[in-house]
Amino acid sequence: LVDMDIFWNHSITCGVTARLLASSVGSRERFFIAGLLHGVGRLILFSQYPKESAKVLSYMNQGEDAALQAEHKIFGFTYAQLGAELLRQWKLPPNIWKMVEYQLNPLQEKEFQYDASTLCAAVNIANYIQPCTHLRINHEEKISDRALQTWCFLGLSAEIVESVMTVAKLQVIEVFNAIR
């Protein structure tokens, strides 16, 4: 159900982007960790429930919100909630697993609103940085309402997002070079 190279590329891109967006925050490495692990719940669902997960993925052509609604209907929870619970069980600090838990509704949780909004924005931006993707952030209709709300909350303009993307691409290459 998933190409692991693409999954980990996206996860590292999310981590790098979240850390960049949180540049003014102390201990910003936790944003990298949350970005890196934001989708771990999907891996659990894919491996443990492949038929149900394939059904959820079939809704992606209708948009991410449709797939999330299907996921909640089929499983009773989202991949973000499952991933957060795993991270909680691993005894990661709440300032990491709460980010993962609220990434799909970042403005809902007051205590972790900034953190979750940063992760939500990072995930959305990372979607534009996928290998061989040359999308530009210049048409609001291509950007989800969730992303626009978090970008507004964080004070991000299209120009800032474009420059974050440029720096993130370079840092992702550096991370992969360090891993190799």
Side-chain angles (χ1 to χ4, degrees):
L1 293 178
V2 64
D3 178 318
M4 291 306 296
D5 288 337
I6 292 173
F7 178 86
W8 286 115
N9 183 293
H10 176 73
S11 295
I12 289 171
T13 303
C14 287
V16 165
T17 304
R19 183 177 56 202
L20 284 170
L21 292 174
S23 63
S24 64
V25 174
S27 67
R28 63 191 184 122
E29 287 307 313
R30 66 190 171 87
F31 288 86
F32 178 81
I33 294 167
L36 187 65
L37 299 175
H38 84 280
V40 71
R42 278 198 170 129
L43 289 182
I44 296 167
L45 293 175
F46 292 161
S47 69
Q48 299 301 307
Y49 303 98
K51 289 180 185 176
E52 294 87 346
S53 294
K55 192 179 291 186
V56 169
L57 289 174
S58 72
Y59 283 88
M60 285 302 281
N61 63 349
Q62 297 174 32
E64 183 184 5
D65 287 339
L68 290 171
Q69 288 174 359
E71 186 175 79
H72 198 273
K73 184 177 179 181
I74 291 169
F75 297 113
F77 50 83
T78 66
Y79 76 89
Q81 292 167 319
L82 178 60
E85 180 58 25
L86 176 67
L87 300 179
R88 189 179 72 75
Q89 294 291 323
W90 284 350
K91 301 198 183 325
L92 268 66
N95 66 4
I96 293 175
W97 63 262
K98 289 277 190 181
M99 247 191 280
V100 172
E101 181 176 15
Y102 291 104
Q103 67 180 299
L104 301 176
N105 296 303
L107 301 177
Q108 174 184 347
E109 169 59 38
K110 297 296 180 207
E111 185 180 356
F112 295 96
Q113 197 172 52
Y114 173 83
D115 295 3
S117 292
T118 301
L119 180 58
C120 178
V123 171
N124 184 270
I125 292 168
N127 289 336
Y128 287 93
I129 303 178
Q130 291 303 309
C132 303
T133 298
H134 304 290
L135 298 173
R136 290 189 47 83
I137 310 295
N138 58 6
H139 292 93
E140 289 187 4
E141 63 272 10
K142 291 182 181 178
I143 303 168
S144 73
D145 288 341
R146 180 183 307 110
L148 288 175
Q149 289 172 351
T150 58
W151 292 5
C152 181
F153 176 77
L154 296 170
L156 300 176
S157 66
E159 293 78 23
I160 291 171
V161 171
E162 288 284 347
S163 66
V164 166
M165 287 173 62
T166 300
V167 174
K169 288 176 187 178
L170 295 172
Q171 288 188 5
V172 167
I173 292 168
E174 288 176 14
V175 169
F176 276 107
N177 286 337
I179 292 170
R180 290 186 188 120

